[in-house]
Amino acid sequence: MDTALTLTTDMELVLGLVVFTMVMFLFERVRADVVALVVLVVLGLTGLVPREDLFGGFSGSAVMSIIATMILGAGLDRTGALNRLASWLLRRAHGVESRLLLYTTAAAGITSSIMQNPSVMSLFLPVASRLSSRTGLTLSRMLLPLAAAIVMGGALTMVGNSPLILLNDLLVAANANLPSGAASLEPLNMFAPMPIGIALLAASLAYFHFFGSKLLREDGGDAVTPARTQSYFARAYGIDGDVHELTVTVDSPLVGMSLGDAEALHGAPLFLALQTGNESRLSPPADARIWVGSVLGAMGPKQQVTDFAQNNFLRMSSRLRAFGDLFNPSRAGISEAVVPPTSGFIGKTQAQLRLRKQYGLSLLAINRDKQVLREDVRNTAIRAGDMLVLHSIWTDLAQAAKGKDFVVVTDYPKDEQRPHKFKIAMAIFAVSMLLALSSKIPVPIALMTGVAGMLVAGVIHVDEAYAAISWKTVFLMACLIPLGWAMDSSGAAAWLAGHTLQQLPEGFPLWLLQLLIGLLTTAFSLAISHVGATIIMVPIAINVALAAGGNPTAFALIVALSASNNLMTASNPVMSMVTGPANYTGRDLWRVGGPLSMVYLVVIVIAINLLY
């Protein structure tokens, strides 16, 4: 390759656009997606990209794959899969902090191989909150290892993060401008980067197990969110979260009684659900009648429920047969809500408001001036500033909260959850992954097959699928992809590669060159996002590899992986999501994430050289 390439007007225009993009992204005076649109328009007006190809980014495989992974992730979230995972992690860890941290971060890392990193972080934040409040392990000690594992785990597959999804499109586009005699670059298969991803994930887990945990702050207890955990409410309100089923026998004095009268009996637990015939409902109204064969969902200490069952001839079961779906944590649970001074609830009792009949809410307790009121709470008038402890279906709570009579302070799923669709969602997802493994079916088609399956099966609705897509991410990527094409077709990438190599001494090791490209990409990603860094650096890396006699695919893969190597600033969406809940400062992120970023670079260079 000719390293003494002459700088042309087209090259100058493309390099000027690259500098413009970097400056605009760095100072954030204009939104990134608007900047990307301006770049796209300039590329079209100047003819740097053929006008018939200008909008090709919007129909590219990369954009379709990103849309599909976002929808698939939302579909899995609707089934409550992550709540099941949290319960499993707690059982397996047996309360040991190091084991809990290891299992949770490993699970998050593996999940991020099939979903977009920010989506995984948003799913795991409530899980971390739940685990934190159950175990006492503070969020400041949990969230950074979790974020790092999610970033590392994204390297397990070609759909784990945006740079890797983009890579195949950029490799195919580069073939049009390869020098004569150079072998065509082949797209990588779905699991091509898996050995590298495994090495990265293992490095992250080992880093925090042996070294990083010493750098994490011990404080941050105030940042723990109660979420919807049983132990928090047991500790704060004396409300035991265990639910028991009580079946009414023919001898029971409760037969024919209203639920409100049953609740007034001595030693009665909290009644949260009622099944009569084939109808089951949570938060049944006080005037609902109890008949022979009715099943009551009672919450309270086991001994209290047992005594009540024996005294009133009720058959007790701690296994939820009738109410299994109703009490699934992804569908229903306990929450806290503050009553504002403008509330219409003030001065009224639960009985007057008919909370259960009107809103589907069971009032369990009132926290007033640091005093917990639980006795005869049904007839206690509500005041401004009261903290109401409620049990409800999450969708009922979200609907009731729209009235502005109370403000919910507990994190809970705002949208409809479908735990009964869990098995079919997992089966559809498995089929989608198996199709992606097949070399005959392109990855975007395999992923869209999963999306179509979830829509047809009712795992997720069409409007929810549209809402799950981050259109800003899609627009940013689609508008910037032509800039990468222009870097290649104008010769700007080849010119930069040639001049870079001229500055290096003879016999400069290839692995050191790869390390420098990785460092430069990481620096770019801090300023212009991981998508921008990938689009600009992949053509340069391919040309550097050709000029230096290296493997272009290996160099391009180093760029795609290094673009996600931002573990020390909030410009990484995953890192920005953990700084608030855990009260991390910029110094915390650099202290813990800086050394880990160096480990990341060293691992990918070693792993890629062993593979290629």
Side-chain angles (χ1 to χ4, degrees):
M1 183 176 134
D2 180 16
T3 56
L5 210 59
T6 308
L7 189 65
T8 64
T9 306
D10 281 359
M11 290 182 198
E12 288 174 344
L13 276 171
V14 171
L15 293 173
L17 271 178
V18 169
V19 172
F20 167 77
T21 305
M22 290 177 67
V23 171
M24 295 302 287
F25 275 30
L26 188 62
F27 291 103
E28 298 181 338
R29 293 293 175 89
V30 181
R31 277 178 48 146
D33 45 349
V34 176
V35 173
L37 178 61
V38 170
V39 169
L40 182 74
V41 169
V42 173
L43 288 170
L45 291 173
T46 55
L48 291 169
V49 172
R51 280 151 201 175
E52 62 272 18
D53 298 332
L54 188 64
F55 301 107
F58 285 93
S59 59
S61 297
V63 169
M64 290 299 107
S65 295
I66 279 200
I67 288 173
T69 54
M70 287 172 177
I71 297 172
L72 287 173
L76 291 178
D77 186 33
R78 293 276 170 176
T79 66
L82 270 291
N83 278 299
R84 293 171 185 243
L85 179 61
S87 299
W88 183 83
L89 290 169
L90 273 172
R91 288 197 305 273
R92 298 293 299 171
H94 302 297
V96 180
E97 176 183 325
S98 58
R99 193 182 296 170
L100 180 65
L101 201 56
L102 182 68
Y103 289 169
T104 308
T105 51
I110 292 166
T111 307
S112 71
S113 68
I114 50 174
M115 289 168 64
Q116 288 291 291
N117 289 353
S119 301
V120 180
M121 193 70 245
S122 66
L123 292 177
F124 267 84
L125 266 174
V127 175
S129 176
R130 187 177 184 189
L131 296 175
S132 176
S133 52
R134 277 196 178 190
T135 61
L137 178 63
T138 61
L139 285 181
S140 61
R141 294 190 61 76
M142 182 177 277
L143 289 187
L144 257 181
L146 195 62
I150 288 169
V151 171
M152 305 288 193
L156 287 165
T157 68
M158 290 299 289
V159 297
N161 58 44
S162 301
L164 285 171
I165 291 174
L166 267 171
L167 181 61
N168 276 341
D169 279 15
L170 294 172
L171 287 174
V172 171
N175 285 327
N177 301 293
L178 290 177
S180 57
S184 292
L185 305 179
E186 295 294 324
L188 297 167
N189 66 46
M190 175 76 163
F191 294 97
M194 183 169 274
I196 306 162
I198 291 171
L200 282 173
L201 192 52
S204 173
L205 297 176
Y207 175 83
F208 283 105
H209 187 73
F210 295 109
F211 175 70
S213 62
K214 299 182 182 71
L215 300 175
L216 293 168
R217 286 186 287 106
E218 292 288 347
D219 59 1
D222 290 342
V224 175
T225 320
R228 48 188 181 277
T229 66
Q230 295 169 355
S231 64
Y232 169 78
F233 289 100
R235 189 170 64 247
Y237 298 106
I239 298 170
D240 193 317
D242 289 334
V243 179
H244 309 274
E245 289 186 354
L246 305 178
T247 305
V248 181
T249 67
V250 70
D251 300 318
S252 174
L254 270 58
V255 175
M257 197 180 282
S258 72
L259 194 72
D261 291 338
E263 285 179 318
L265 293 174
H266 175 71
L270 295 160
F271 294 129
L272 302 180
L274 175 67
Q275 183 189 66
T276 304
N278 293 322
E279 185 188 0
S280 298
R281 66 168 296 175
L282 213 58
S283 306
D287 57 6
R289 294 285 164 180
I290 299 168
W291 304 110
V292 176
S294 291
V295 183
L296 294 163
M299 186 167 78
K302 189 172 183 180
Q303 192 57 51
Q304 179 193 355
V305 180
T306 304
D307 291 343
F308 184 80
Q310 287 174 350
N311 295 337
N312 293 280
F313 301 99
L314 306 170
R315 274 202 320 275
M316 177 176 160
S317 170
S318 55
R319 284 192 63 193
L320 296 182
R321 293 182 175 89
F323 302 124
D325 261 355
L326 277 182
F327 283 103
N328 187 305
S330 66
R331 186 175 184 187
I334 305 174
S335 58
E336 289 176 307
V338 176
V339 179
T342 54
S343 172
F345 285 8
I346 295 169
K348 296 175 183 174
T349 65
Q350 174 184 317
Q352 290 171 322
L353 290 167
R354 302 170 80 195
L355 287 181
R356 290 197 293 209
K357 192 161 193 170
Q358 293 284 91
Y359 303 100
L361 308 175
S362 288
L363 181 62
L364 309 183
I366 298 174
N367 188 345
R368 178 179 294 165
D369 299 327
K370 298 185 180 178
Q371 181 187 0
V372 177
L373 309 176
R374 285 193 56 202
E375 298 301 322
D376 199 26
V377 72
R378 191 165 172 265
N379 297 309
T380 303
I382 294 169
R383 297 181 191 169
D386 279 354
M387 179 87 82
L388 308 181
V389 184
L390 306 166
H391 187 279
S392 63
I393 293 175
W394 300 127
T395 46
D396 287 345
L397 181 67
Q399 190 63 36
K402 290 178 182 176
K404 309 295 183 188
D405 286 313
F406 58 81
V407 178
V408 182
V409 295
T410 303
D411 174 43
Y412 69 100
K414 312 297 187 293
D415 304 307
E416 182 189 349
Q417 299 289 292
R418 304 181 185 101
H420 55 289
K421 298 282 188 181
F422 173 74
K423 289 181 180 176
I424 192 167
M426 294 307 293
I428 291 167
F429 189 77
V431 169
S432 179
M433 287 297 108
L434 287 172
L435 288 174
L437 271 170
S438 161
S439 55
K440 295 178 182 177
I441 298 176
V443 170
I445 297 175
L447 296 175
M448 280 297 177
T449 304
V451 170
M454 286 192 177
L455 288 168
V456 170
V459 175
I460 189 170
H461 298 154
V462 175
D463 289 340
E464 294 166 351
Y466 286 135
I469 300 166
S470 170
W471 293 106
K472 181 180 176 181
T473 302
V474 169
F475 205 79
L476 178 73
M477 183 180 289
C479 287
L480 283 182
I481 284 172
L483 181 60
W485 300 341
M487 282 283 292
D488 226 349
S489 60
S490 69
W495 182 84
L496 277 174
H499 278 265
T500 301
L501 289 175
Q502 280 181 349
Q503 307 304 315
L504 299 176
E506 283 289 326
F508 197 76
L510 272 182
W511 65 267
L512 200 51
L513 193 56
Q514 290 171 339
L515 202 60
L516 287 174
I517 284 174
L519 275 170
L520 186 60
T521 305
T522 300
F524 271 25
S525 72
L526 300 182
I528 59 168
S529 82
H530 56 347
V531 169
T534 307
I535 288 167
I536 289 168
M537 284 300 299
V538 164
I540 295 172
I542 289 171
N543 281 280
V544 166
L546 291 169
N551 183 330
T553 304
F555 274 67
L557 189 53
I558 282 173
V559 168
L561 291 168
S562 298
S564 294
N565 185 22
N566 176 3
L567 300 163
M568 53 279 189
T569 74
S571 61
N572 181 336
V574 174
M575 303 308 287
S576 69
M577 290 171 75
V578 302
T579 50
N583 292 329
Y584 291 131
T585 63
R587 188 177 175 185
D588 290 332
L589 295 181
W590 275 99
R591 188 177 66 248
V592 181
L596 186 56
S597 279
M598 295 310 298
V599 171
Y600 184 110
L601 268 178
V602 170
V603 168
I604 62 170
V605 169
I606 292 172
I608 285 174
N609 276 289
L610 288 174
L611 285 173
Y612 294 91

